[in-house]
Amino acid sequence: RDDLALADYNRALQINPSYDVAYIGRGNIYRQNKQMQLALADFNQAILLRTNDPRAYHNRALIYQASGQQQLAIDDFSKAIAMSPANLEPFEGRGLSYLAIGDYKAALEDFNEVVKRDRNSFTGWTNQGLALEKLGEREKAFAAFSKSAALNPNYRPALDGMKRNSPSNMAQRTTT
């Protein structure tokens, strides 16, 4: 019921135009509905109000990431992590942006943090595998993809990663 939630957020902002949480909530609805400029404006406003809510930075980072502005995304994910270091989502997001710009070691550090804290994160294991694969550590990549596949046997990125990094594929590459 996005329409009712939007009406509530708009009313809250009429009552208190400095209510950062309302900007973040409304921004999330806009982002989920692919209204990125409106979402970005709301997250920016919450940040201008000096919010202490890491969701403003995290969600703005997601918009930057989706639009290919990886360094801006990394900066905002880092701010979200500094504000709420127990939250794993910004680590995963920042790691993906690091992968996108080719900083595979930094990506691996973030994905290592994810799987260290959540051993059942199949996306974390897959992303760790991707970073390891980019770093040329194919055996470790295969192990990470395997862990992901054990947690979610139908997760195609993990299965594809296992296939690319399987010992039989690696042996075939060295003989050709």
Side-chain angles (χ1 to χ4, degrees), residues 58-103:
H58 181 258
N59 291 316
R60 187 172 74 172
L62 292 172
I63 292 172
Y64 289 148
Q65 188 177 60
S67 66
Q69 299 177 73
Q70 301 304 335
Q71 193 55 58
L72 291 174
I74 289 166
D75 293 345
D76 273 0
F77 284 130
S78 296
K79 288 174 186 159
I81 290 167
M83 295 171 89
S84 180
N87 187 356
L88 293 181
E89 288 179 17
F91 284 100
E92 195 138 20
R94 186 173 70 179
L96 290 171
S97 286
Y98 279 134
L99 272 181
I101 64 169
D103 190 344

Side-chain angles (χ1 to χ4, degrees), residues 5 8-9 24 41 45 51 56 68 72 79 85 104 115 130 147:
D8 287 345
Y9 286 129
I24 295 166
Q45 185 60 38
T51 186
L72 291 174
K79 288 174 186 159
Y104 306 128
V115 298
L130 290 170
K147 179 68 174 172

Side-chain angles (χ1 to χ4, degrees), residues 63-169:
I63 292 172
Y64 289 148
Q65 188 177 60
S67 66
Q69 299 177 73
Q70 301 304 335
Q71 193 55 58
L72 291 174
I74 289 166
D75 293 345
D76 273 0
F77 284 130
S78 296
K79 288 174 186 159
I81 290 167
M83 295 171 89
S84 180
N87 187 356
L88 293 181
E89 288 179 17
F91 284 100
E92 195 138 20
R94 186 173 70 179
L96 290 171
S97 286
Y98 279 134
L99 272 181
I101 64 169
D103 190 344
Y104 306 128
K105 286 183 180 179
L108 182 59
E109 287 177 23
D110 280 344
F111 300 139
N112 285 346
E113 190 65 28
V114 171
V115 298
K116 178 177 134 189
R117 295 190 198 182
D118 181 2
R119 306 293 292 167
N120 294 317
S121 174
F122 64 91
T123 58
W125 286 108
T126 298
N127 291 331
Q128 183 191 61
L130 290 170
L132 288 163
E133 181 178 7
K134 292 292 188 181
L135 290 167
E137 297 187 38
R138 292 182 151 325
E139 288 179 27
K140 289 180 181 178
F142 181 80
F145 290 128
S146 296
K147 179 68 174 172
S148 177
L151 293 166
N152 185 344
N154 298 315
Y155 191 53
R156 178 59 45 200
L159 299 173
D160 291 345
M162 285 176 62
K163 190 175 186 178
R164 284 190 312 272
N165 293 279
S166 73
S168 61
N169 276 349

Side-chain angles (χ1 to χ4, degrees), residues 8-83:
D8 287 345
Y9 286 129
N10 289 333
R11 180 69 183 128
L13 290 168
Q14 284 175 342
I15 295 167
N16 180 1
S18 297
Y19 188 31
D20 60 326
V21 174
Y23 284 108
I24 295 166
R26 189 173 71 178
N28 280 331
I29 291 173
Y30 288 145
R31 187 177 61 78
Q32 290 165 0
N33 288 302
K34 310 279 189 254
Q35 296 175 292
M36 297 307 177
Q37 291 304 318
L38 292 172
L40 189 59
D42 276 356
F43 298 137
N44 285 338
Q45 185 60 38
I47 289 166
L48 281 173
L49 292 169
R50 300 187 188 276
T51 186
N52 62 359
D53 190 329
R55 294 177 303 163
Y57 289 99
H58 181 258
N59 291 316
R60 187 172 74 172
L62 292 172
I63 292 172
Y64 289 148
Q65 188 177 60
S67 66
Q69 299 177 73
Q70 301 304 335
Q71 193 55 58
L72 291 174
I74 289 166
D75 293 345
D76 273 0
F77 284 130
S78 296
K79 288 174 186 159
I81 290 167
M83 295 171 89

